[in-house]
Amino acid sequence: MPYSDKYWQKEEVMPPKEIEELQFKRLKWVIRHAYDNVPFYRQRLKKAGVHPDDIKRREDIAKIPFTTKEHLRENYPFGLFAVPKEKIIRIHTSSGTSGKPKVVGYTRSDLENWINMVARCLYMVGVRERDVFQNMVSYTFFTGGLGFHYAAELIGAMVVPAGTGNTERQIRYMLDFGTTVIHATPSYAMHIKEVAEAMGIKPDEIGLKIGCFGAEPWSDNTRKRLEDAFGLKAYDSYGLSEMNGPGVAFECEEQNGLHIWADHYFIEIVDEEGNPAAEGEKGELVLTPLTKEALPLLRYKTGDITFIMDDECSCGRTHPKIHRILGRADDMIVVRGINVFPSQIEHVLMQIPEVGDHFQVVITRRGSLDELTVRVEVRDEIFTGELADLDKIRQKVQRELQKELGLRTNVELVEKGTLERFVGKAKRVLDLREEV
Amino acid sequence: MPYSDKYWQKEEVMPPKEIEELQFKRLKWVIRHAYDNVPFYRQRLKKAGVHPDDIKRREDIAKIPFTTKEHLRENYPFGLFAVPKEKIIRIHTSSGTSGKPKVVGYTRSDLENWINMVARCLYMVGVRERDVFQNMVSYTFFTGGLGFHYAAELIGAMVVPAGTGNTERQIRYMLDFGTTVIHATPSYAMHIKEVAEAMGIKPDEIGLKIGCFGAEPWSDNTRKRLEDAFGLKAYDSYGLSEMNGPGVAFECEEQNGLHIWADHYFIEIVDEEGNPAAEGEKGELVLTPLTKEALPLLRYKTGDITFIMDDECSCGRTHPKIHRILGRADDMIVVRGINVFPSQIEHVLMQIPEVGDHFQVVITRRGSLDELTVRVEVRDEIFTGELADLDKIRQKVQRELQKELGLRTNVELVEKGTLERFVGKAKRVLDLREEV
C-alpha cells in the first residue's frame, strides 16, 4: 500500500516543477468547478469581472476575490456545495463561538484524498502497522477525530478510538494496549502528564514514541516540555475543517517547518491588505483546495499567520514548508494599541524553567486603560512559600514578557493545579473588557 | 456497489442450503483457527477432549465448550486474539459495569465484513445515497457509532456524525440538513420528541423516514409510539461488540423478526443448562462468528433471550430470523423468586394509552420481602389532578403488570418530566436491595 519504506504516496517526492504544473492545472479546474456549480462564486467572479478562462498564469489567482468564514456562515448549511446532496457522504461542522456553524461536506473522492493526506503525515513521522495509535481528540463533528482515525487505520496501525476525557482510563489503556503514538491537543497532553504522575506513573515510562499535537498553536518550548515529559518525539499538526481537516500540513522528522501538500492546496501568504507578502515574509495563510469536489473554496482566508520556508528538506519531500503557526488572526488581542498573540506569551513562558505547564491570560479595563494579567502556575518544587524567591520569579517572567511583547503585564504566580485543564482546545484568554 | 436495487450483497438471497454449507465450512475453519492460534482455546478444547477434526457434522458443535464474557475479561486485553498485534487495525471496548472492560479487535478483513453486514441492514430498510443519516449514538469505544457511520458512508448516504447530547442542536441539524434517517437508542428518541415539542416543533414534521433503534431491548408498543411521534418506520437493530458490534441481526421492512446473517454467524439457542432449546422455543442466543480473524469466539453466550422464527420471509432474504430480544439474562431481576425482565414491564406500559414514554423500576427490601415499585410518567393531558381518575389509571397499570409478570407491584404515577432522560442506553432499574 505505501509507495516506499519512507513515503506513503509517490506525490510526496514529485519534482517541484511537476508539482507546480499539476497545481496550476488543478487550480484552473477548481475555479471552473466553483464557477459552474456554485452560484455564489459565479456571481462573485462576474462582479469582480473575472472569468475562469482569464486564469492563464499562477499570478492570475490574485484576480479572484477571497473567501472568508463569514461567507461559509452566510451560506449555511449547503450554499457553497458544488455537487448535489446525493454525492456528499460526510458532513462536519465547526460550532465556532457565535452565530451559525460552518458546515463542510465531502464526496467519496474528497474523503479518499483527505485520508491519504493525513496518512502521508502519519507515515512521515514514522507511524507503521506495528504501532498502537490512541486518538485522544473529539470524534463526531470535529474533523480531528475521524480524520486521524481513518488515516491511522489505512496505514494499518492498531487504532484505539479513545476520544477525550476519562484521563485515568486513557493512561491505563496506554499501558495495557502498549500505545506508541498519541494524538491530542498539547494542553491535554500536559494534563495527561500530571494525571499520570498523580497515579504514580512516570510519563516517560508509558512507552510513547510519537506525539501528534494540533488544534492549538504551540511553541518549540512546549515541544521540548512534551518531549522531555513523555520521552517521545512531538510533531505539529496543522489543518482546518474548511480544507478537509487535519493533514493540510505536518512536520517531518526534521521538526523544522510543516510540509504543506501542494498537489492538493494552492498556497498564498498575504499581508493585511490582501496583497502577496514579500518572499519569506510572514502574513496570513490563504488556501485554495485543488481537488475538493464538494466544497471548492477559492482563496480561503485561514486567519493563520505563518511564512513559507523555502529551503530544501533533507527528508526528501519536495512540497514547500510553512513555519509553525505564529498566531491566529482571530486570537489576536489588542492591548493599549499593541497586538499580542497568546502564542507569543506561551513561547516566553515555556522557556522559563520555573514556570509550570499551565497559564491564563486575563484582560481587564481600569478606567480607560487595558490591563493584561498573566496568571502562571509555578512548578511544585519552586513553590516554597519564600516570598522573596517568588517575587524574583515574578519579576523575571514580567521582564521576559515585556521583552517579547513590548508591553508591561501584570504577572501573578499561582500554585500548581490552580488553573483550569482542558481535554480539547485550551481556552487561555479571558477578555473581561466590555464590548468596544 | 450494491448487488441489486433491493439487496446490498448477493449473499442475502443465497439458497438456504448453500448458506448451511458455507456456514459449516466456515465453522470448521474458525474452530481450527481458534485452536491453532489462541492458547486459551487449545487448552480448553483439549481439556474437553475435542479436536477440530472431530467436528464432522453441524451438531458436533455441542462438543465445544461455551465462551462467556468472563473469559474475555479474564484474558484482558488481548489474550483471546488469534492474530499478531500488527494485523489488528481497530480496538473497541465495552466498559461494562464492573471489573475489566471487554476488549475486541478487528483485522482489515474483519472490518470489511462487519461494515458490509451493517450496510446490508441499512440497505434492507431502505437507506440509499439520497438519504441524510444522523448518527446519534456515542462514537469512540462504543461499536454502535463507528459501525453505523462506516456502513452509511459505504452506501453513500450523507452521514452526519452527531454523537449523543446537545439535543436542541440535533433537532436543528435534522431540520437544516434534511435528515431522513436516524440511529439512536429508543429512549433517546423519546427524549428528542419531548425536546422538539418544547421547541415548538412537531416531531412528525421533521421529515424523518427511517429510525434505527438499538442498544436496549424495546417492544412493539414502543415501536408504535416512535412511529406515531415521528411519522417514520422504526427498525430494531441487534448486535454486540463481541460479535463485531451492530449488524448481527436487523429487521427488514416486514418488521416481523430480525434477519441474522448466517453466513457470518453460527446461531444456537440454548436453555438454562446449555442444551439446545426445542425448535422455536425461547432461550439464550449463542453465537460463533464464522469469519472473524482477530477474535474467533467459539459459542459465545450473548445473554440475550430470543427464539428462531423459521418462516420464510416475503422480503426474499434467506437468512433465518430471530424474534426481537425478549430480555437480557443480565437484566433479569428476581423478585420474591419470580424472574422479571424490564422489557416485560416496558411491553405492558407502552400499550396503556394514559402512560407516558418514561418509567423507572425500583426494587427495595422491606424486612425480608422484596418490593417492586414501578414509577410511571403519565401523559400531560391526563395529569388533571383529579385523584379519582389518577387512581383508576394506577390500578389499571397495576392490574396489567400483574397479568404479565404474575407479581404484585407498587405503581406510582408521576408528572411528565419527573424521571431521568438518557442520551445513551437507558438505566431504568434501580436495585436498592442490599447485596444478597
Side-chain angles (χ1 to χ4, degrees):
Chain A
M1 190 79 125
Y3 170 62
S4 77
D5 275 3
K6 206 172 159 194
Y7 309 112
W8 180 251
Q9 290 188 307
K10 67 171 189 298
E11 288 83 354
E12 294 169 54
V13 288
M14 269 177 99
K17 188 136 183 62
E18 281 179 37
I19 296 183
E20 280 206 4
E21 284 165 14
L22 181 62
Q23 243 193 345
F24 187 59
K25 195 182 107 187
R26 288 178 167 175
L27 180 65
K28 284 192 293 184
W29 172 81
V30 78
I31 294 169
R32 164 65 69 183
H33 177 52
Y35 185 87
D36 285 349
N37 299 299
V38 187
F40 168 85
Y41 279 115
R42 190 155 53 248
Q43 285 156 23
R44 228 168 133 69
L45 265 64
K46 278 187 175 157
K47 210 171 148 192
V50 204
H51 187 270
D53 292 339
D54 300 338
I55 309 301
K56 298 194 195 309
R57 299 167 310 145
R58 293 172 70 84
E59 299 73 51
D60 291 337
I61 195 174
K63 298 177 181 171
I64 311 272
F66 293 112
T67 305
T68 65
K69 66 183 62 157
E70 284 67 37
H71 294 137
L72 258 179
R73 292 218 165 91
E74 286 159 13
N75 288 282
Y76 172 89
F78 304 148
L80 297 188
F81 285 9
V83 299
K85 216 167 155 183
E86 307 89 83
K87 293 288 165 207
I88 306 277
I89 64 168
R90 173 89 67 81
I91 286 292
H92 280 287
T93 70
S94 69
S95 56
T97 41
S98 65
K100 295 275 188 196
K102 288 171 280 175
V103 178
V104 299
Y106 307 74
T107 65
R108 196 172 300 281
S109 153
D110 292 340
L111 270 192
E112 204 182 301
N113 284 324
W114 175 30
I115 298 318
N116 272 295
M117 280 187 272
V118 184
R120 283 183 192 178
C121 300
L122 289 174
Y123 204 77
M124 177 160 71
V125 299
V127 178
R128 295 291 182 275
E129 272 193 344
R130 63 179 174 270
D131 281 301
V132 179
F133 179 84
Q134 195 158 328
N135 196 20
M136 296 187 292
V137 300
S138 175
Y139 274 62
T140 72
F141 290 117
F142 175 56
T143 50
L146 288 170
F148 273 86
H149 177 95
Y150 273 65
E153 207 165 84
L154 185 62
I155 289 175
M158 184 192 278
V159 180
V160 182
T164 56
N166 205 336
T167 307
E168 291 202 11
R169 188 178 71 178
Q170 299 271 15
I171 294 164
R172 268 201 318 276
Y173 279 175
M174 285 182 200
L175 292 167
D176 295 344
F177 299 166
T179 300
T180 53
V181 187
I182 57 170
H183 173 218
T185 60
S187 45
Y188 188 49
M190 288 296 194
H191 180 52
I192 289 171
K193 178 196 150 205
E194 285 180 344
V195 175
E197 283 165 348
M199 289 165 77
I201 294 162
K202 289 188 183 158
D204 61 346
E205 288 178 3
I206 292 174
L208 301 177
K209 291 186 184 121
I210 298 168
C212 306
F213 301 109
E216 294 166 9
W218 53 294
S219 69
D220 269 334
N221 298 320
T222 296
R223 186 204 311 274
K224 189 160 174 2
R225 286 181 176 225
L226 288 166
E227 294 192 335
D228 288 349
F230 290 103
L232 49 66
K233 270 192 92 170
Y235 295 99
D236 190 19
S237 162
Y238 175 72
L240 61 166
S241 56
E242 302 90 313
M243 298 292 127
N244 288 309
V248 174
F250 212 92
E251 286 180 335
C252 64
E253 287 185 318
E254 299 298 312
Q255 296 179 309
N256 179 30
L258 292 78
H259 287 283
I260 181 161
W261 304 121
D263 53 339
H264 290 288
Y265 300 101
F266 192 91
I267 304 138
E268 299 174 83
I269 305 284
V270 303
D271 64 20
E272 279 171 33
E273 281 73 46
N275 298 315
E279 218 180 301
E281 283 302 298
K282 72 177 182 185
E284 183 175 354
L285 181 66
V286 171
L287 293 174
T288 303
L290 297 173
T291 50
K292 198 100 200 306
E293 295 177 338
L295 192 58
L297 301 175
L298 304 183
R299 303 190 84 203
Y300 186 77
K301 293 192 84 176
T302 64
D304 295 311
I305 310 299
T306 183
F307 59 88
I308 304 278
M309 307 165 71
D310 60 358
D311 306 320
E312 275 181 31
C313 189
S314 63
C315 82
R317 285 175 189 80
T318 48
H319 293 248
K321 288 200 286 193
I322 54 171
H323 189 272
R324 55 162 65 237
I325 301 305
L326 297 162
R328 301 202 186 240
D330 287 353
D331 291 344
M332 195 177 74
I333 317 157
V334 185
V335 179
R336 300 201 290 272
I338 295 174
N339 298 349
V340 176
F341 288 103
S343 51
Q344 292 176 283
I345 297 172
E346 188 230 310
H347 173 77
V348 170
L349 297 178
M350 292 303 123
Q351 68 194 358
I352 300 174
E354 294 91 343
V355 167
D357 299 326
H358 300 271
F359 68 96
Q360 186 186 38
V361 178
V362 185
I363 313 153
T364 52
R365 175 164 293 164
R366 193 174 293 174
S368 63
L369 206 64
D370 294 337
E371 293 273 347
L372 194 142
T373 303
V374 182
R375 306 182 69 207
V376 172
E377 288 191 6
V378 291
R379 288 193 186 277
D380 254 358
E381 55 273 26
I382 302 294
F383 211 73
T384 57
E386 291 289 336
L387 288 180
D389 290 352
L390 282 175
D391 201 54
K392 267 186 214 154
I393 299 172
R394 203 187 53 72
Q395 286 178 28
K396 179 177 174 184
V397 173
Q398 208 164 39
R399 217 161 41 230
E400 295 294 322
L401 283 171
Q402 174 134 23
K403 232 190 282 174
E404 168 78 22
L405 309 176
L407 187 77
R408 196 189 49 72
T409 58
N410 304 318
V411 171
E412 200 181 297
L413 301 185
V414 300
E415 207 171 339
K416 186 175 164 182
T418 307
L419 302 175
E420 192 181 347
R421 267 58 172 157
F422 300 93
V423 298
K425 288 190 200 196
K427 290 182 197 76
R428 291 216 165 103
V429 178
L430 203 61
D431 194 339
L432 302 176
R433 294 175 293 189
E434 280 166 38
E435 283 298 321
V436 276
Chain B
M1 191 78 125
Y3 170 63
S4 79
D5 275 3
K6 208 171 157 192
Y7 309 112
W8 180 252
Q9 292 187 306
K10 67 172 189 298
E11 288 83 353
E12 294 169 53
V13 287
M14 270 176 99
K17 188 138 182 62
E18 281 178 36
I19 296 182
E20 282 206 3
E21 283 164 15
L22 180 61
Q23 242 192 346
F24 187 59
K25 195 181 106 189
R26 288 178 166 177
L27 180 66
K28 284 192 293 186
W29 172 81
V30 78
I31 293 169
R32 162 65 69 183
H33 177 52
Y35 185 87
D36 285 348
N37 299 299
V38 187
F40 168 86
Y41 279 116
R42 191 155 53 248
Q43 284 155 25
R44 229 168 131 69
L45 265 63
K46 277 187 175 158
K47 209 169 148 191
V50 204
H51 187 270
D53 293 341
D54 299 340
I55 309 301
K56 299 192 192 310
R57 299 165 312 142
R58 293 171 71 84
E59 300 73 52
D60 291 336
I61 195 175
K63 296 176 182 170
I64 311 272
F66 293 111
T67 305
T68 65
K69 65 182 62 157
E70 283 68 38
H71 294 136
L72 258 178
R73 292 218 165 91
E74 288 160 11
N75 289 281
Y76 172 88
F78 303 150
L80 297 187
F81 285 9
V83 299
K85 218 167 156 183
E86 307 89 83
K87 294 288 164 209
I88 306 278
I89 64 168
R90 174 89 66 81
I91 284 293
H92 280 287
T93 69
S94 69
S95 56
T97 40
S98 63
K100 294 276 186 197
K102 287 172 280 176
V103 178
V104 299
Y106 307 74
T107 65
R108 196 173 299 279
S109 152
D110 291 340
L111 270 192
E112 203 183 301
N113 283 325
W114 175 29
I115 299 317
N116 271 297
M117 280 187 272
V118 184
R120 284 183 192 178
C121 299
L122 289 174
Y123 203 78
M124 177 159 73
V125 298
V127 178
R128 295 291 182 274
E129 272 192 345
R130 64 180 172 269
D131 281 302
V132 179
F133 179 84
Q134 195 158 328
N135 196 21
M136 297 187 292
V137 300
S138 174
Y139 275 61
T140 73
F141 290 118
F142 176 55
T143 50
L146 289 170
F148 272 86
H149 177 95
Y150 273 65
E153 208 165 82
L154 184 63
I155 289 174
M158 184 192 279
V159 180
V160 183
T164 56
N166 206 336
T167 308
E168 291 201 11
R169 188 177 71 176
Q170 299 270 16
I171 294 164
R172 269 201 318 277
Y173 279 174
M174 285 182 201
L175 293 166
D176 296 344
F177 299 164
T179 301
T180 53
V181 187
I182 57 170
H183 173 219
T185 59
S187 46
Y188 187 51
M190 287 299 193
H191 179 52
I192 290 171
K193 178 196 151 206
E194 285 180 343
V195 174
E197 283 165 350
M199 289 165 77
I201 295 161
K202 288 188 183 156
D204 60 348
E205 288 177 3
I206 292 174
L208 301 177
K209 291 185 185 122
I210 297 168
C212 305
F213 301 109
E216 293 167 10
W218 54 294
S219 69
D220 269 334
N221 298 319
T222 295
R223 186 205 311 273
K224 190 159 175 359
R225 287 181 175 225
L226 288 166
E227 294 191 336
D228 288 349
F230 291 102
L232 49 66
K233 270 192 92 171
Y235 296 99
D236 190 19
S237 163
Y238 175 71
L240 61 165
S241 56
E242 301 91 312
M243 298 292 127
N244 288 309
V248 174
F250 213 91
E251 285 180 337
C252 64
E253 287 185 317
E254 299 297 312
Q255 297 178 307
N256 180 30
L258 291 78
H259 287 283
I260 181 161
W261 304 121
D263 52 339
H264 291 287
Y265 300 102
F266 192 91
I267 304 139
E268 300 174 82
I269 305 283
V270 303
D271 64 20
E272 280 170 35
E273 281 74 45
N275 298 316
E279 218 179 301
E281 284 300 299
K282 73 176 180 184
E284 182 175 355
L285 181 65
V286 170
L287 294 174
T288 304
L290 298 173
T291 51
K292 198 100 199 313
E293 295 175 340
L295 193 58
L297 300 175
L298 305 183
R299 305 189 83 203
Y300 187 76
K301 294 193 83 175
T302 65
D304 295 312
I305 310 298
T306 183
F307 58 89
I308 305 277
M309 306 165 72
D310 60 357
D311 306 320
E312 274 179 34
C313 188
S314 62
C315 82
R317 285 175 189 78
T318 47
H319 293 247
K321 288 200 287 193
I322 54 170
H323 188 273
R324 57 161 64 239
I325 301 305
L326 298 163
R328 301 201 187 242
D330 288 352
D331 291 345
M332 194 177 75
I333 316 158
V334 186
V335 180
R336 299 198 293 269
I338 294 174
N339 298 350
V340 176
F341 288 103
S343 51
Q344 291 176 287
I345 297 173
E346 187 230 310
H347 173 78
V348 170
L349 297 178
M350 293 303 122
Q351 70 193 355
I352 302 174
E354 294 90 343
V355 167
D357 299 325
H358 300 270
F359 68 95
Q360 185 186 40
V361 178
V362 185
I363 314 153
T364 51
R365 174 163 294 163
R366 194 174 294 174
S368 63
L369 207 63
D370 294 336
E371 293 273 347
L372 193 143
T373 303
V374 182
R375 305 182 69 206
V376 173
E377 287 191 7
V378 291
R379 287 191 187 280
D380 255 358
E381 58 272 25
I382 301 295
F383 211 74
T384 58
E386 290 288 335
L387 288 180
D389 290 351
L390 282 174
D391 201 55
K392 267 188 214 151
I393 299 171
R394 204 185 55 69
Q395 286 177 28
K396 180 176 172 184
V397 173
Q398 207 163 42
R399 218 162 41 228
E400 295 296 322
L401 282 172
Q402 174 134 26
K403 232 191 281 173
E404 168 77 25
L405 309 176
L407 187 76
R408 196 190 49 73
T409 58
N410 303 318
V411 171
E412 200 182 297
L413 300 185
V414 299
E415 207 170 339
K416 186 175 163 180
T418 307
L419 302 175
E420 191 181 348
R421 268 57 173 158
F422 300 93
V423 298
K425 289 190 198 195
K427 290 182 198 77
R428 291 216 165 104
V429 178
L430 202 61
D431 195 339
L432 302 176
R433 294 175 292 190
E434 282 166 36
E435 283 298 322
V436 277

